[in-house]
Amino acid sequence: MTNVVEVKNLTHYYGSKLVFENLNFNIKEGSIFGLLGKNGTGKTTTINILNGFLKPTSGKCLMFDEDSYALTPATKSRVGFLIEGHVQYSFMSIRQIEKFYSAFYPKWKKEPYYELMSKLAVTENQKISKMSCGQRSQVALGLILAQDADLLILDDYSMGLDAGYRRLFLDYLIEYAKAETKTIFITSHIIQDLENFLDECVILDYKSVLLHAPLKSFLDDFKQFKFEVDNHNLKLEKDYVVKNFELVKNKATLYTFEKKSVIEHYLNNNGINFTKLSEVPMTLEEAFIGITGKY
Amino acid sequence: MLKAVVFKEWLKIRWVFIGMLLINFLVIINTYFNVSNVLKVYSANVYLVKLITYEILFFDDLMYIPLLTGILISVFQFFPEINQKRLKLTFHLPVQESKMLFQMTSIGFISLLLIFLFDTFLLSLVSLNFFPDEVFKSMIITLLPWFFTGFCGYFLITMVFIEPNWTKRVVVTLIGIGLISLFYSGSGYAKFEQSWWMFMAISSLFGVIIYVSAYNFKRGIS
């Protein structure tokens, strides 16, 4: 399977502040790839570099084998881009914006756009600036679906959307992704919505990559163990076993990729008195918080 | 694609274009009535001698209107692009960024040109109605730098909107204000008969700077 996007040794600084260093990942054709991370970890920066709106300090981004800062119009026409906040030309009406974009894209299909608009209870002459955030998100989604792009880049599609609009957004994306050659690159701050959606993900931490794995293997392999301890000041540093550790009074939570027997052995070896050790299943959001930490 | 770009730009500037066309029209109509009223008191010869001796421009109400027109067209055209960084949408369209910017600024430029041609036409009617042909010729040469301020103002404000670096914005704005003030230096008729081409060159330079700012925006240079 070919790579639609290749990110190679990407490093970026804002002034003297390091955003990330040696970021590497590929996005395979036909996959749904999530770039996850807390605010300020460089998700939008990565997307800006990928779309050629930012020159990286070092490293390279390729999109359809073209350097991202020199994308040809032909390649740009294959990429649908959703800007954070569903930004669109708000001075246009629903009909005007469809007419405008259709002139640029040879594969333009207006049906998915008008199908989405028909759900909004607005007229075709409705100005986008007069629409709610949720409605504007559907306009932006309808436009990139009508573009029939091979790659969708969605920068925080969930921003400002209530649960209904988020679900509607994802339902349409799932339909879009059913075509084998369509690829989606998505970021979101609402991790839970992506649990049954992503094929693969990268989780960014400040300045580095915490995880790069297929989502299923992350959810299968990453574990949460809860136990009780006598020492209310117990601290466990991150290492090859402990990926994160939290303690509230005598209730301890340890996040790891290891099995229960390894954890028991690890705690005993470190002289920790513990009771009631048990593995607790996690949702994607809990796993995300587990690996990135609450702060 | 060009048709679509023209459509988008027209949506943004149509009201300010019509509004400024109306303001320019009203200012010139006012000029017509002023001259007409004066000529009810003085004979045409006396008034003409007075205009030339005291270097009074009978159309000086129009002096800053082209500059204001250029600034407002730029604000209405480019503020929506920069607000929420919509220019990213524009530059993501499958067209070379420089070509897209050229098309956008050409639409603003042509809008200004149309307004200034309209001004010239109306003022020509006023001039030829009341004064000899020589006054018409010197009026056109006097008007040219004012019209160039309109183009300079348009390009300058566009640059300020697009340029991501605040220091560069401030520096170019100060230089721009200095250069534009040159256009208003001197007084009387046809002061810049030998040097109007310089103003045209300065206006063109402003047009080129926009591309540097667009490059900076595109590459995230700040």
Side-chain angles (χ1 to χ4, degrees):
Chain A
M1 201 174 276
T2 54
N3 289 325
V4 171
V5 173
E6 292 175 42
V7 174
K8 297 176 178 175
N9 300 319
L10 203 63
T11 299
H12 193 69
Y13 284 83
Y14 284 120
S16 59
K17 188 193 166 212
L18 176 66
V19 183
F20 46 66
E21 196 167 23
N22 287 326
L23 181 62
N24 287 283
F25 63 84
N26 296 327
I27 304 178
K28 295 184 185 74
E29 186 181 53
S31 68
I32 303 177
F33 189 97
L35 186 64
L36 311 177
K38 292 178 185 174
N39 292 337
T41 50
K43 300 187 296 295
T44 298
T45 299
T46 308
I47 283 182
N48 281 335
I49 292 171
L50 203 55
N51 280 300
F53 290 117
L54 196 59
K55 188 184 178 189
T57 307
S58 66
K60 213 171 193 180
C61 266
L62 298 177
M63 196 153 31
F64 294 108
D65 294 324
E66 281 183 11
D67 230 319
S68 65
Y69 69 83
L71 296 175
T72 59
T75 296
K76 285 200 281 186
S77 73
R78 298 178 67 186
V79 181
F81 180 30
L82 181 84
I83 297 180
E84 194 174 13
H86 317 104
V87 174
Q88 270 302 340
Y89 298 115
S90 54
F91 49 87
M92 291 187 182
S93 69
I94 285 176
R95 189 205 296 267
Q96 284 169 338
I97 202 164
E98 189 276 323
K99 186 181 160 195
F100 171 72
Y101 276 110
S102 66
F104 291 92
Y105 297 101
K107 294 196 290 177
W108 189 261
K109 294 174 182 167
K110 64 180 179 183
E111 292 77 16
Y113 174 75
Y114 281 112
E115 187 188 321
L116 260 173
M117 293 308 100
S118 67
K119 296 182 192 303
L120 298 183
V122 288
T123 66
E124 289 184 4
N125 294 322
Q126 173 84 44
K127 270 241 179 100
I128 295 167
S129 59
K130 300 273 168 61
M131 297 168 82
S132 71
C133 183
Q135 288 174 325
R136 277 188 275 120
S137 75
Q138 301 307 296
V139 173
L141 174 65
L143 291 169
I144 54 176
L145 293 179
Q147 185 188 330
D148 197 23
D150 295 321
L151 168 65
L152 293 189
I153 298 178
L154 311 170
D155 190 4
D156 205 350
Y157 79 93
S158 54
M159 183 183 266
L161 300 187
D162 60 30
Y165 276 117
R166 291 203 315 270
R167 178 55 60 86
L168 187 62
F169 205 106
L170 282 183
D171 285 347
Y172 271 86
L173 285 182
I174 288 165
E175 281 301 308
Y176 167 87
K178 277 182 182 167
E180 283 180 4
T181 56
K182 303 292 187 189
T183 309
I184 298 175
F185 179 35
I186 193 165
T187 73
S188 173
H189 70 282
I190 300 183
I191 307 296
Q192 196 53 47
D193 288 354
L194 302 178
E195 181 151 1
N196 298 313
F197 185 64
L198 297 181
D199 296 320
E200 197 174 352
C201 70
V202 160
I203 298 180
L204 293 175
D205 195 9
Y206 300 105
K207 303 177 185 179
S208 64
V209 174
L210 279 175
L211 178 99
H212 179 190
L215 188 72
K216 188 174 180 319
S217 72
F218 172 53
L219 287 172
D220 288 347
D221 299 343
F222 193 58
K223 298 178 182 71
Q224 173 183 232
F225 289 99
K226 290 191 180 282
F227 52 95
E228 291 181 7
V229 290
D230 299 332
N231 181 0
H232 289 199
N233 296 315
L234 178 67
K235 281 182 183 170
L236 288 178
E237 296 300 323
K238 291 180 186 176
D239 58 18
Y240 65 100
V241 173
V242 178
K243 296 303 163 195
N244 210 348
F245 177 75
E246 290 164 4
L247 182 69
V248 179
K249 294 184 179 172
N250 68 332
K251 311 274 185 197
T253 308
L254 187 151
Y255 298 94
T256 181
F257 285 98
E258 304 296 339
K259 294 175 184 169
K260 188 175 180 183
S261 57
V262 176
I263 298 303
E264 278 175 329
H265 187 67
Y266 179 89
L267 293 174
N268 286 325
N269 273 2
N270 283 280
I272 298 164
N273 288 324
F274 64 95
T275 55
K276 299 179 184 174
L277 177 69
S278 63
E279 185 183 338
V280 179
M282 288 186 288
T283 61
L284 176 61
E285 187 169 87
E286 287 165 338
F288 173 80
I289 293 169
I291 201 162
T292 60
K294 286 177 183 158
Y295 303 104
Chain B
M1 288 185 196
L2 177 62
K3 204 174 149 190
V5 176
V6 172
F7 173 68
K8 173 167 85 77
E9 300 311 305
W10 175 244
L11 280 179
K12 287 185 286 182
I13 65 169
R14 57 188 166 163
W15 296 119
V16 71
F17 176 83
I18 293 166
M20 289 316 294
L21 202 64
L22 191 66
I23 288 171
N24 278 260
F25 174 74
L26 292 174
V27 168
I28 294 169
I29 287 292
N30 183 53
T31 299
Y32 173 84
F33 285 116
N34 282 344
V35 174
S36 178
N37 287 337
V38 171
L39 288 178
K40 283 176 188 164
V41 181
Y42 300 105
S43 72
N45 283 344
V46 171
Y47 183 46
L48 194 57
V49 168
K50 201 175 167 188
L51 289 179
I52 293 165
T53 309
Y54 295 106
E55 296 186 328
I56 297 168
L57 303 174
F58 69 89
F59 48 91
D60 66 356
D61 284 349
L62 193 75
M63 189 183 279
Y64 296 105
I65 301 295
L67 176 61
L68 180 70
T69 307
I71 289 171
L72 286 179
I73 296 260
S74 172
V75 169
F76 277 75
Q77 194 180 0
F78 285 95
F79 179 72
E81 295 286 340
I82 292 307
N83 187 24
Q84 294 187 293
K85 297 196 173 176
R86 280 194 187 86
L87 200 55
K88 282 184 183 177
L89 286 176
T90 305
F91 283 167
H92 184 69
L93 290 168
V95 179
Q96 287 293 348
E97 293 88 9
S98 54
K99 187 179 170 186
M100 176 59 76
L101 190 64
F102 178 75
Q103 290 177 351
M104 290 168 74
T105 50
S106 294
I107 290 159
F109 180 86
I110 289 167
S111 307
L112 286 175
L113 193 63
L114 288 173
I115 293 173
F116 299 158
L117 285 173
F118 176 71
D119 289 349
T120 308
F121 171 71
L122 290 183
L123 277 173
S124 302
L125 292 181
V126 176
S127 173
L128 291 171
N129 188 43
F130 295 118
F131 305 112
D133 291 357
E134 288 76 9
V135 174
F136 166 73
K137 190 191 163 202
S138 62
M139 179 193 76
I140 296 294
I141 294 168
T142 310
L143 279 171
L144 273 178
W146 298 355
F147 290 154
F148 286 134
T149 63
F151 295 122
C152 284
Y154 172 76
F155 289 133
L156 180 67
I157 298 301
T158 302
M159 187 286 299
V160 169
F161 278 131
I162 295 176
E163 173 60 54
N165 183 299
W166 272 100
T167 312
K168 286 180 194 164
R169 275 180 177 170
V170 171
V171 169
V172 178
T173 303
L174 290 175
I175 294 170
I177 291 169
L179 286 172
I180 286 172
S181 65
L182 276 181
F183 291 45
Y184 293 112
S185 61
S187 59
Y189 288 85
K191 279 282 178 190
F192 298 117
E193 187 164 12
Q194 304 301 321
S195 54
W196 63 268
W197 60 270
M198 259 176 38
F199 296 115
M200 193 166 81
I202 291 170
S203 306
S204 308
L205 185 69
F206 275 76
V208 173
I209 290 171
I210 290 175
Y211 289 87
V212 179
S213 293
Y215 177 81
N216 291 343
F217 178 90
K218 178 69 178 45
R219 304 304 309 279
I221 298 168
S222 60

Short mmCIF file of all heavy atoms in Angstrom, two decimals, chain A residues 220-246:
data_model
loop_
_atom_site.label_atom_id
_atom_site.label_comp_id
_atom_site.label_asym_id
_atom_site.label_seq_id
_atom_site.Cartn_x
_atom_site.Cartn_y
_atom_site.Cartn_z
N ASP A 220 -5.50 -2.48 22.86
CA ASP A 220 -5.31 -3.84 23.38
C ASP A 220 -4.13 -3.92 24.35
O ASP A 220 -4.16 -4.62 25.36
CB ASP A 220 -5.06 -4.83 22.22
CG ASP A 220 -6.34 -5.08 21.43
OD1 ASP A 220 -7.41 -4.69 21.93
OD2 ASP A 220 -6.26 -5.63 20.32
N ASP A 221 -3.06 -3.21 24.02
CA ASP A 221 -1.80 -3.39 24.75
C ASP A 221 -1.62 -2.44 25.94
O ASP A 221 -0.88 -2.74 26.87
CB ASP A 221 -0.60 -3.21 23.80
CG ASP A 221 -0.62 -4.24 22.68
OD1 ASP A 221 -1.33 -5.25 22.84
OD2 ASP A 221 0.05 -4.02 21.66
N PHE A 222 -2.25 -1.27 25.83
CA PHE A 222 -2.05 -0.28 26.90
C PHE A 222 -3.04 -0.58 28.03
O PHE A 222 -4.24 -0.71 27.80
CB PHE A 222 -2.27 1.14 26.35
CG PHE A 222 -1.80 2.21 27.27
CD1 PHE A 222 -0.47 2.27 27.70
CD2 PHE A 222 -2.68 3.20 27.72
CE1 PHE A 222 -0.04 3.29 28.55
CE2 PHE A 222 -2.24 4.21 28.56
CZ PHE A 222 -0.93 4.25 28.97
N LYS A 223 -2.49 -0.70 29.23
CA LYS A 223 -3.33 -1.17 30.35
C LYS A 223 -3.31 -0.21 31.53
O LYS A 223 -2.35 0.53 31.73
CB LYS A 223 -2.84 -2.54 30.82
CG LYS A 223 -2.92 -3.61 29.73
CD LYS A 223 -2.37 -4.92 30.24
CE LYS A 223 -2.41 -5.98 29.15
NZ LYS A 223 -1.42 -5.73 28.08
N GLN A 224 -4.42 -0.31 32.27
CA GLN A 224 -4.54 0.51 33.48
C GLN A 224 -4.70 -0.45 34.67
O GLN A 224 -5.61 -1.28 34.68
CB GLN A 224 -5.79 1.39 33.35
CG GLN A 224 -6.15 2.17 34.58
CD GLN A 224 -7.45 2.97 34.37
OE1 GLN A 224 -7.49 4.14 34.60
NE2 GLN A 224 -8.51 2.30 33.94
N PHE A 225 -3.80 -0.32 35.63
CA PHE A 225 -3.90 -1.13 36.84
C PHE A 225 -4.19 -0.23 38.04
O PHE A 225 -3.54 0.82 38.18
CB PHE A 225 -2.59 -1.89 37.09
CG PHE A 225 -2.37 -3.00 36.09
CD1 PHE A 225 -1.54 -2.81 35.00
CD2 PHE A 225 -3.02 -4.22 36.23
CE1 PHE A 225 -1.35 -3.81 34.07
CE2 PHE A 225 -2.83 -5.23 35.30
CZ PHE A 225 -1.98 -5.03 34.21
N LYS A 226 -5.14 -0.66 38.85
CA LYS A 226 -5.43 0.09 40.06
C LYS A 226 -5.06 -0.77 41.27
O LYS A 226 -5.24 -2.00 41.23
CB LYS A 226 -6.92 0.47 40.11
CG LYS A 226 -7.30 1.52 39.07
CD LYS A 226 -8.68 2.08 39.30
CE LYS A 226 -9.05 3.10 38.27
NZ LYS A 226 -8.45 4.42 38.48
N PHE A 227 -4.53 -0.15 42.28
CA PHE A 227 -4.21 -0.87 43.51
C PHE A 227 -4.17 0.12 44.68
O PHE A 227 -4.23 1.34 44.46
CB PHE A 227 -2.88 -1.63 43.39
CG PHE A 227 -1.72 -0.81 42.90
CD1 PHE A 227 -0.84 -0.20 43.80
CD2 PHE A 227 -1.48 -0.65 41.54
CE1 PHE A 227 0.23 0.54 43.36
CE2 PHE A 227 -0.40 0.10 41.09
CZ PHE A 227 0.46 0.70 41.99
N GLU A 228 -4.11 -0.44 45.87
CA GLU A 228 -4.07 0.42 47.05
C GLU A 228 -2.71 0.30 47.73
O GLU A 228 -2.10 -0.79 47.72
CB GLU A 228 -5.19 0.04 48.03
CG GLU A 228 -6.57 0.38 47.46
CD GLU A 228 -7.72 0.03 48.41
OE1 GLU A 228 -7.45 -0.35 49.56
OE2 GLU A 228 -8.87 0.14 47.96
N VAL A 229 -2.25 1.39 48.28
CA VAL A 229 -0.93 1.40 48.94
C VAL A 229 -1.04 2.04 50.32
O VAL A 229 -1.98 2.80 50.59
CB VAL A 229 0.11 2.17 48.09
CG1 VAL A 229 0.45 1.41 46.83
CG2 VAL A 229 -0.38 3.57 47.77
N ASP A 230 -0.06 1.74 51.18
CA ASP A 230 -0.03 2.37 52.51
C ASP A 230 0.61 3.76 52.44
O ASP A 230 0.21 4.67 53.15
CB ASP A 230 0.81 1.51 53.48
CG ASP A 230 0.20 0.14 53.64
OD1 ASP A 230 -1.03 0.02 53.48
OD2 ASP A 230 0.96 -0.83 53.90
N ASN A 231 1.60 3.84 51.58
CA ASN A 231 2.37 5.08 51.48
C ASN A 231 1.62 6.12 50.63
O ASN A 231 1.55 6.00 49.40
CB ASN A 231 3.74 4.75 50.84
CG ASN A 231 4.62 5.98 50.72
OD1 ASN A 231 4.22 7.09 51.10
ND2 ASN A 231 5.82 5.78 50.19
N HIS A 232 1.12 7.17 51.30
CA HIS A 232 0.35 8.18 50.56
C HIS A 232 1.24 9.14 49.80
O HIS A 232 0.73 9.99 49.06
CB HIS A 232 -0.52 8.98 51.55
CG HIS A 232 -1.66 8.16 52.09
ND1 HIS A 232 -2.77 8.70 52.67
CD2 HIS A 232 -1.85 6.81 52.13
CE1 HIS A 232 -3.59 7.74 53.06
NE2 HIS A 232 -3.05 6.58 52.73
N ASN A 233 2.53 9.01 49.97
CA ASN A 233 3.46 9.89 49.23
C ASN A 233 4.24 9.11 48.17
O ASN A 233 5.26 9.60 47.68
CB ASN A 233 4.45 10.53 50.21
CG ASN A 233 3.73 11.45 51.18
OD1 ASN A 233 2.87 12.23 50.77
ND2 ASN A 233 4.04 11.31 52.45
N LEU A 234 3.75 7.95 47.83
CA LEU A 234 4.47 7.10 46.86
C LEU A 234 4.60 7.80 45.52
O LEU A 234 3.64 8.38 44.99
CB LEU A 234 3.71 5.78 46.69
CG LEU A 234 4.31 4.80 45.67
CD1 LEU A 234 5.67 4.28 46.14
CD2 LEU A 234 3.35 3.63 45.42
N LYS A 235 5.82 7.74 44.97
CA LYS A 235 6.04 8.30 43.64
C LYS A 235 6.72 7.25 42.79
O LYS A 235 7.67 6.60 43.26
CB LYS A 235 6.93 9.54 43.72
CG LYS A 235 6.18 10.77 44.16
CD LYS A 235 7.07 11.99 44.17
CE LYS A 235 6.29 13.18 44.69
NZ LYS A 235 7.14 14.32 44.95
N LEU A 236 6.25 7.09 41.56
CA LEU A 236 6.91 6.18 40.63
C LEU A 236 7.29 6.96 39.37
O LEU A 236 6.43 7.59 38.75
CB LEU A 236 6.00 5.01 40.25
CG LEU A 236 5.73 3.94 41.31
CD1 LEU A 236 4.77 2.88 40.78
CD2 LEU A 236 7.04 3.26 41.72
N GLU A 237 8.57 6.96 39.05
CA GLU A 237 9.02 7.66 37.85
C GLU A 237 8.68 6.84 36.63
O GLU A 237 8.59 5.61 36.68
CB GLU A 237 10.54 7.89 37.92
CG GLU A 237 10.98 8.79 39.07
CD GLU A 237 10.37 10.19 39.00
OE1 GLU A 237 10.23 10.71 37.88
OE2 GLU A 237 10.01 10.73 40.08
N LYS A 238 8.52 7.53 35.48
CA LYS A 238 8.27 6.82 34.23
C LYS A 238 9.52 6.04 33.83
O LYS A 238 10.63 6.57 33.93
CB LYS A 238 7.91 7.80 33.12
CG LYS A 238 6.55 8.47 33.32
CD LYS A 238 6.25 9.44 32.19
CE LYS A 238 4.98 10.20 32.49
NZ LYS A 238 4.68 11.22 31.48
N ASP A 239 9.32 4.80 33.40
CA ASP A 239 10.45 4.01 32.92
C ASP A 239 9.94 2.99 31.89
O ASP A 239 8.85 3.18 31.34
CB ASP A 239 11.17 3.33 34.10
CG ASP A 239 10.24 2.43 34.92
OD1 ASP A 239 9.16 2.07 34.40
OD2 ASP A 239 10.59 2.11 36.07
N TYR A 240 10.70 1.91 31.69
CA TYR A 240 10.31 0.94 30.67
C TYR A 240 9.01 0.22 31.02
O TYR A 240 8.34 -0.32 30.15
CB TYR A 240 11.44 -0.07 30.43
CG TYR A 240 11.73 -0.96 31.63
CD1 TYR A 240 11.23 -2.25 31.70
CD2 TYR A 240 12.49 -0.49 32.71
CE1 TYR A 240 11.47 -3.05 32.81
CE2 TYR A 240 12.73 -1.27 33.82
CZ TYR A 240 12.22 -2.55 33.87
OH TYR A 240 12.44 -3.33 34.97
N VAL A 241 8.62 0.21 32.28
CA VAL A 241 7.37 -0.43 32.71
C VAL A 241 6.27 0.62 32.94
O VAL A 241 5.18 0.51 32.38
CB VAL A 241 7.58 -1.25 34.01
CG1 VAL A 241 6.23 -1.76 34.54
CG2 VAL A 241 8.52 -2.41 33.77
N VAL A 242 6.59 1.61 33.72
CA VAL A 242 5.60 2.61 34.12
C VAL A 242 5.54 3.72 33.07
O VAL A 242 6.53 4.42 32.84
CB VAL A 242 5.95 3.22 35.50
CG1 VAL A 242 4.93 4.29 35.89
CG2 VAL A 242 6.02 2.14 36.55
N LYS A 243 4.40 3.87 32.44
CA LYS A 243 4.23 4.95 31.45
C LYS A 243 3.58 6.17 32.11
O LYS A 243 3.72 7.28 31.61
CB LYS A 243 3.38 4.47 30.27
CG LYS A 243 4.03 3.35 29.46
CD LYS A 243 5.40 3.78 28.93
CE LYS A 243 6.24 2.60 28.50
NZ LYS A 243 7.66 2.95 28.33
N ASN A 244 2.86 5.92 33.17
CA ASN A 244 2.29 7.03 33.93
C ASN A 244 1.84 6.48 35.28
O ASN A 244 1.47 5.30 35.38
CB ASN A 244 1.11 7.64 33.19
CG ASN A 244 0.97 9.12 33.49
OD1 ASN A 244 1.61 9.65 34.40
ND2 ASN A 244 0.15 9.79 32.71
N PHE A 245 1.85 7.33 36.29
CA PHE A 245 1.45 6.88 37.61
C PHE A 245 0.73 8.01 38.33
O PHE A 245 1.18 9.16 38.30
CB PHE A 245 2.68 6.44 38.42
CG PHE A 245 2.34 6.03 39.82
CD1 PHE A 245 1.73 4.80 40.08
CD2 PHE A 245 2.63 6.86 40.91
CE1 PHE A 245 1.40 4.42 41.39
CE2 PHE A 245 2.32 6.49 42.21
CZ PHE A 245 1.70 5.26 42.45
N GLU A 246 -0.41 7.66 38.93
CA GLU A 246 -1.17 8.67 39.66
C GLU A 246 -1.55 8.10 41.03
O GLU A 246 -1.82 6.90 41.15
CB GLU A 246 -2.46 9.03 38.92
CG GLU A 246 -2.21 9.81 37.64
CD GLU A 246 -3.43 9.82 36.74
OE1 GLU A 246 -4.48 9.28 37.14
OE2 GLU A 246 -3.31 10.35 35.63
#
